[in-house]
Amino acid sequence: MTRAEAADMPDDGAPRTPDRLRRRASRLLSQLTVRSDRLINEGLAQAADARKWHYAVLASLQDFGPGSQATLSGRTGIYRSDMVGVLNELAERGFVERAPDPGDRRRNIITISAEGRRHLRRLDKVLDDLHDELLAPLNPAERDQFVQLLTRLLDHHARTS
Amino acid sequence: MTRAEAADMPDDGAPRTPDRLRRRASRLLSQLTVRSDRLINEGLAQAADARKWHYAVLASLQDFGPGSQATLSGRTGIYRSDMVGVLNELAERGFVERAPDPGDRRRNIITISAEGRRHLRRLDKVLDDLHDELLAPLNPAERDQFVQLLTRLLDHHARTS
DNA sequence: CCGAAAACGTTAGTGGAACGAACGTTGACG
DNA sequence: CGTCAACGTTCGTTCCACTAACGTTTTCGG
């Protein structure tokens, strides 16, 4: 033994973390979200040169039709300040069109293009695969449960915010 | 009607988000974690002038005894670069002591103080309350389930990292 | 009908968290 | 003894949620 590192190593090399720390839901959430975000970001970047916000915007356009940037902000939860950049990226790639609203010249009307629709289908597939990886340890019933629980918690804290 | 904003408003004022977006586990995780982090940070700051890192370090010291900064990094998951600041804050408040290791002058040995122990007890209570708020919509069995699921997912992705 | 207030898109910037690079000091080891 | 690794530390980067302010355009109350 070079020296007794002991006490932190459960004899298999990994440093030990106190249970009361490891069991805290807030900590589990934070840590898992870091991994999840990394997985999704890297996956989207590499498989489709995309970011998760692209998906949010395109899906919102596809499912609810064209809208102003402010509307899209509301639908997706992306801040209007950040929406600018996202739409620039999407417009650059030809996935959306940004046109001034003739009826209200403060607004832009954002429309999804045919290419955008195709891209969205691709993103949906990529995300399906990535979520399969994310939720790998859970069986279908448990995945549903997990999503259920998350949804209930989020709903509660969204109303209360 | 001033104008038909329609389509995004389920007739109760809240903008509508596509289901495929709302159901993605990664998105639920991100959003919930934002709320959770905010709840915990604000709660700790206001009730105990503390940050969550403080809890991690103090709990690790209490449960596994003194250690070097590197050991604490391993136990808590805090980067050694960030550990410096955390320990400064804790030492300033008299919750830990930072003393050079006589047996290895590269290291500092960090020890929790009596005050630190008291503070940790307080933090534990505050965190209990905050988690009660965080998990409010779930009954005890569901909370256990939730923690179970999170743990399994995190374990899987920690090994695979 | 006019002036104040609000909404819109946009730019710039803040604060926190996770993480990497590099450096001087000190110990381990062939 | 010389090389290499570990330690604490400083500095910097990147990403995300979020705020502030501004010019333009529209709405609305008096």
PDB file of all heavy atoms in Angstrom, chain A residues 75 78 83 103 116 133 137 140 156:
ATOM      1  N   ARG A  75     -44.383  29.523 -26.799  1.00  0.00           N
ATOM      2  CA  ARG A  75     -44.620  28.101 -27.027  1.00  0.00           C
ATOM      3  C   ARG A  75     -43.450  27.236 -26.574  1.00  0.00           C
ATOM      4  O   ARG A  75     -43.631  26.105 -26.127  1.00  0.00           O
ATOM      5  CB  ARG A  75     -44.825  27.843 -28.525  1.00  0.00           C
ATOM      6  CG  ARG A  75     -46.091  28.435 -29.112  1.00  0.00           C
ATOM      7  CD  ARG A  75     -46.255  27.860 -30.520  1.00  0.00           C
ATOM      8  NE  ARG A  75     -47.053  28.708 -31.394  1.00  0.00           N
ATOM      9  CZ  ARG A  75     -47.060  28.595 -32.709  1.00  0.00           C
ATOM     10  NH1 ARG A  75     -46.275  27.692 -33.296  1.00  0.00           N
ATOM     11  NH2 ARG A  75     -47.816  29.363 -33.453  1.00  0.00           N
ATOM     12  N   ILE A  78     -38.223  29.433 -24.875  1.00  0.00           N
ATOM     13  CA  ILE A  78     -36.958  30.105 -25.179  1.00  0.00           C
ATOM     14  C   ILE A  78     -37.153  31.609 -25.031  1.00  0.00           C
ATOM     15  O   ILE A  78     -38.150  32.157 -25.492  1.00  0.00           O
ATOM     16  CB  ILE A  78     -36.511  29.801 -26.624  1.00  0.00           C
ATOM     17  CG1 ILE A  78     -36.413  28.289 -26.833  1.00  0.00           C
ATOM     18  CG2 ILE A  78     -35.202  30.490 -26.934  1.00  0.00           C
ATOM     19  CD1 ILE A  78     -36.132  27.900 -28.266  1.00  0.00           C
ATOM     20  N   MET A  83     -34.084  33.808 -28.842  1.00  0.00           N
ATOM     21  CA  MET A  83     -34.811  33.366 -30.033  1.00  0.00           C
ATOM     22  C   MET A  83     -34.189  33.954 -31.294  1.00  0.00           C
ATOM     23  O   MET A  83     -34.111  33.278 -32.324  1.00  0.00           O
ATOM     24  CB  MET A  83     -36.271  33.804 -29.906  1.00  0.00           C
ATOM     25  CG  MET A  83     -37.177  33.367 -31.028  1.00  0.00           C
ATOM     26  SD  MET A  83     -37.318  31.577 -31.190  1.00  0.00           S
ATOM     27  CE  MET A  83     -38.320  31.182 -29.761  1.00  0.00           C
ATOM     28  N   GLY A 103     -49.599  43.085 -41.395  1.00  0.00           N
ATOM     29  CA  GLY A 103     -50.674  43.625 -40.570  1.00  0.00           C
ATOM     30  C   GLY A 103     -50.199  44.255 -39.278  1.00  0.00           C
ATOM     31  O   GLY A 103     -50.949  44.946 -38.601  1.00  0.00           O
ATOM     32  N   GLY A 116     -37.435  22.412 -43.688  1.00  0.00           N
ATOM     33  CA  GLY A 116     -37.573  22.438 -42.241  1.00  0.00           C
ATOM     34  C   GLY A 116     -38.350  21.243 -41.737  1.00  0.00           C
ATOM     35  O   GLY A 116     -38.002  20.627 -40.726  1.00  0.00           O
ATOM     36  N   GLU A 133     -31.115   5.975 -25.333  1.00  0.00           N
ATOM     37  CA  GLU A 133     -29.850   5.841 -24.623  1.00  0.00           C
ATOM     38  C   GLU A 133     -29.978   6.436 -23.213  1.00  0.00           C
ATOM     39  O   GLU A 133     -29.513   5.843 -22.237  1.00  0.00           O
ATOM     40  CB  GLU A 133     -28.760   6.573 -25.407  1.00  0.00           C
ATOM     41  CG  GLU A 133     -27.354   6.111 -25.084  1.00  0.00           C
ATOM     42  CD  GLU A 133     -26.328   6.870 -25.924  1.00  0.00           C
ATOM     43  OE1 GLU A 133     -26.679   7.305 -27.048  1.00  0.00           O
ATOM     44  OE2 GLU A 133     -25.195   7.045 -25.440  1.00  0.00           O
ATOM     45  N   PRO A 137     -31.610   2.217 -18.845  1.00  0.00           N
ATOM     46  CA  PRO A 137     -31.801   1.284 -17.734  1.00  0.00           C
ATOM     47  C   PRO A 137     -33.257   1.031 -17.387  1.00  0.00           C
ATOM     48  O   PRO A 137     -33.539   0.140 -16.580  1.00  0.00           O
ATOM     49  CB  PRO A 137     -31.100   1.976 -16.553  1.00  0.00           C
ATOM     50  CG  PRO A 137     -30.323   3.102 -17.128  1.00  0.00           C
ATOM     51  CD  PRO A 137     -30.963   3.455 -18.417  1.00  0.00           C
ATOM     52  N   PRO A 140     -40.108   0.027 -20.474  1.00  0.00           N
ATOM     53  CA  PRO A 140     -41.130   0.970 -20.962  1.00  0.00           C
ATOM     54  C   PRO A 140     -42.049   1.503 -19.868  1.00  0.00           C
ATOM     55  O   PRO A 140     -42.334   2.710 -19.826  1.00  0.00           O
ATOM     56  CB  PRO A 140     -41.910   0.126 -21.968  1.00  0.00           C
ATOM     57  CG  PRO A 140     -40.908  -0.837 -22.488  1.00  0.00           C
ATOM     58  CD  PRO A 140     -40.028  -1.175 -21.324  1.00  0.00           C
ATOM     59  N   HIS A 156     -46.482  21.412 -11.267  1.00  0.00           N
ATOM     60  CA  HIS A 156     -46.674  22.045  -9.968  1.00  0.00           C
ATOM     61  C   HIS A 156     -45.819  23.305  -9.821  1.00  0.00           C
ATOM     62  O   HIS A 156     -46.291  24.346  -9.387  1.00  0.00           O
ATOM     63  CB  HIS A 156     -46.348  21.054  -8.850  1.00  0.00           C
ATOM     64  CG  HIS A 156     -46.425  21.643  -7.487  1.00  0.00           C
ATOM     65  ND1 HIS A 156     -45.304  21.974  -6.753  1.00  0.00           N
ATOM     66  CD2 HIS A 156     -47.483  21.992  -6.714  1.00  0.00           C
ATOM     67  CE1 HIS A 156     -45.680  22.484  -5.590  1.00  0.00           C
ATOM     68  NE2 HIS A 156     -47.000  22.492  -5.537  1.00  0.00           N
TER      69      HIS A 156
END
